[in-house]
Amino acid sequence: MKLVYLLGLGAFALGLDAYVTAGLLPSIAADFDATVSSTGQMVTAFTLAYAIASPIFATLLSASRVRTGLLASLAVFSLANAGSALATSLPVLLITRAFAGVGAGLYLALAAAAAASLVERERRGRALAVIMGGMSSGTVIGVPAGVYIAQHTSWRATLWLVTGIGVVSLVGLLLRLPQLPATETVSLRQRAQVVTDPRVASVVGVSLLAAIASLGLYTYFVPVMATGAMGSVDNITPYLWAWGIGGVLGSVLVGSLVDKVRRPATLVVGILAILTLSLLAFRITASITPLLALIPIAVWGAVGWALQVPQQNDLLAARGERGGPVAVALNESALYLGSAIGSGLGGAAFAFGWSGSVLPLWAAGFAAAALLLQLTAVRAAAKKPAASAAPSTAPAATPATSATPATSATSATD
C-alpha cells in the first residue's frame, strides 16, 4: 500500500491544482493587469485539456506502458505547474495551464488502474479510495492552505507548492514503482459505440449539465462573493472550507445510500433537486448576510460531490464489465468539459459587465436542466424495465470498478 499512497500523493497535487486557481483569480488578474473574465480562462484551459486528454491519451497509450505513462504524465503536470509559476504573461499562463490539464487527465486515469493492480483483489476498493481520497483532500485541505499562502506571499508560491508535491510523488514512483501488468485496451471506436447507448448518453448529459452548474460557478467563487450583492466578502477561506468539507461528507455518506436504494437513478433526482435549491439559496442568503450563505454553500459542495457516486453506479450497471470503465471515463471527461463550459460562460458574463451575483442564478438554471433530463431518463427506464435491467449483472461491477478512473465524486472537482 505504500506505493498506492505515493500515487495518492500525486492525486492530492491534482486536486489542489484543479481547484486552487479559482481562489487565485483576483491576485493573478491584478498581477497581469488583466480582467477577471480573461484570467478565469486559465481554468477553462486546464479543464478542457483534462477532458480531452483523459479518454484519448489513455486509449492511445499502450496497455504495457502504464508505468511509463504515469511517470510521463506526472512529469508533464509538474513541469507545467513550474511554468505557470514562472509565467510572465497571461497567454503563457494559459498555455501552461493547458499542459497541466493534459498531465492531470492522463495521470488520474492511470493511477486508478495502477493502484488496483498493486494490491490483492479484496483490497482494491481501499486502494482506489486512497486515490480519490487524495483528490478530495487536495480540495478540502490544499485549497484553503493554498489560498492562505497566496494571500500572505503570492499566487506563484502556491503553484510552486503544487509543483513540489508533484515532484516528490514523481521521484518516489520513479524509484519504487515496478513495471505494471498490461490491461485490456479499448479503441476510440469502441468508446464511440459506448456513448451511443441512450442510457449512457443520458447519464453523461446529466453530469455535463451538473458540472456546468457546480464546477463552473466554483471557478468564480471569489469574484462572486466579492460583489456587493453577495456581501463584499474579502476573506474567502471560510467559504472554501464549507464547500470542501461538505463535499467530503457528501461523497462519503452517499455510498451507503446508493447501496440501500433499489434504483440509484432515482436518488440522483433528489440530489439534483437539492443542488438547484442550494444554489438559489446561496444567492438569497448571501444578499442577507454572507455568514448565512455558509449553509447552502456546504450543501452545494455535498451534493455536487455526491452526485457522481450513483452516476458511476448506473454506468457500470448499464454497460457491465467490458463497457463500464469506458462509460465512466467518458463521464469523467463530461465533468471537466462541463467545468470548462461553465468557466467560459462565467468569463463571458464578466466580460459583458454583468454582476457576479447573477452566476448562482445561471448555475441553478443548469442544475434544473440536469434535473429535467434525469426525470426524463427515469421515466424512460420505467417504461422499459427489462431493457434497463438486462445489462446489469452483479459480477460485472466488481472488475469494472477496479479499472475506473474514479470511484467517488471527483471532481471535482474539485
Side-chain angles (χ1 to χ4, degrees), residues 136-163:
S136 61
S137 297
T139 301
V140 176
I141 300 174
V143 169
V147 172
Y148 179 84
I149 291 172
Q151 290 174 341
H152 291 80
T153 54
S154 73
W155 61 269
R156 298 179 189 274
T158 299
L159 293 180
W160 279 121
L161 173 64
V162 176
T163 303

Side-chain angles (χ1 to χ4, degrees), residues 90-110:
L90 185 57
V92 173
L93 180 62
L94 294 178
I95 293 172
T96 58
R97 297 314 299 153
F99 276 103
V102 170
L106 180 56
Y107 177 83
L108 189 60
L110 296 179

Side-chain angles (χ1 to χ4, degrees), residues 213 217 224 229-230 275-284 355-369:
L217 177 61
V224 165
M230 302 293 285
L275 176 62
T276 303
L277 293 175
S278 65
L279 292 172
L280 290 173
F282 171 38
R283 171 65 180 85
I284 296 171
S355 170
S357 61
V358 306
L359 295 189
L361 301 178
W362 281 22
F366 277 103

Side-chain angles (χ1 to χ4, degrees), residues 182-278:
T183 56
E184 180 186 12
T185 57
V186 182
S187 68
L188 289 175
R189 182 178 180 182
Q190 288 172 312
R191 290 180 184 273
Q193 290 173 343
V194 170
V195 80
T196 57
D197 183 334
R199 186 171 173 183
V200 171
S202 65
V203 172
V204 171
V206 167
S207 293
L208 176 70
L209 291 171
I212 293 174
S214 184
L215 299 179
L217 177 61
Y218 185 79
T219 300
Y220 293 98
F221 203 171
V222 175
V224 165
M225 292 298 293
T227 60
M230 302 293 285
S232 302
V233 174
D234 292 325
N235 183 15
I236 195 65
T237 302
Y239 303 90
L240 293 175
W241 274 108
W243 190 85
I245 292 174
V248 170
L249 292 176
S251 61
V252 170
L253 297 177
V254 76
S256 59
L257 288 177
V258 172
D259 291 335
K260 291 178 181 178
V261 299
R262 295 181 60 185
R263 299 181 62 188
T266 305
L267 177 62
V268 173
V269 173
I271 291 175
L272 290 171
I274 296 173
L275 176 62
T276 303
L277 293 175
S278 65

Side-chain angles (χ1 to χ4, degrees), residues 269-315:
V269 173
I271 291 175
L272 290 171
I274 296 173
L275 176 62
T276 303
L277 293 175
S278 65
L279 292 172
L280 290 173
F282 171 38
R283 171 65 180 85
I284 296 171
T285 55
S287 64
I288 299 173
T289 173
L291 288 178
L292 189 60
L294 286 169
I295 298 174
I297 288 172
V299 174
W300 160 31
V303 293
W305 280 77
L307 174 64
Q308 292 312 310
V309 177
Q311 289 287 82
Q312 291 170 359
N313 182 84
D314 199 13
L315 289 171

Side-chain angles (χ1 to χ4, degrees), residues 54-91:
S54 182
I56 294 180
F57 282 95
T59 298
L60 297 178
L61 186 69
S62 169
S64 62
R65 298 178 180 174
V66 175
R67 182 181 186 275
T68 302
L70 270 171
L71 297 176
S73 60
L74 196 52
V76 169
F77 172 81
S78 300
L79 288 172
N81 272 283
S84 297
L86 295 171
T88 56
S89 66
L90 185 57

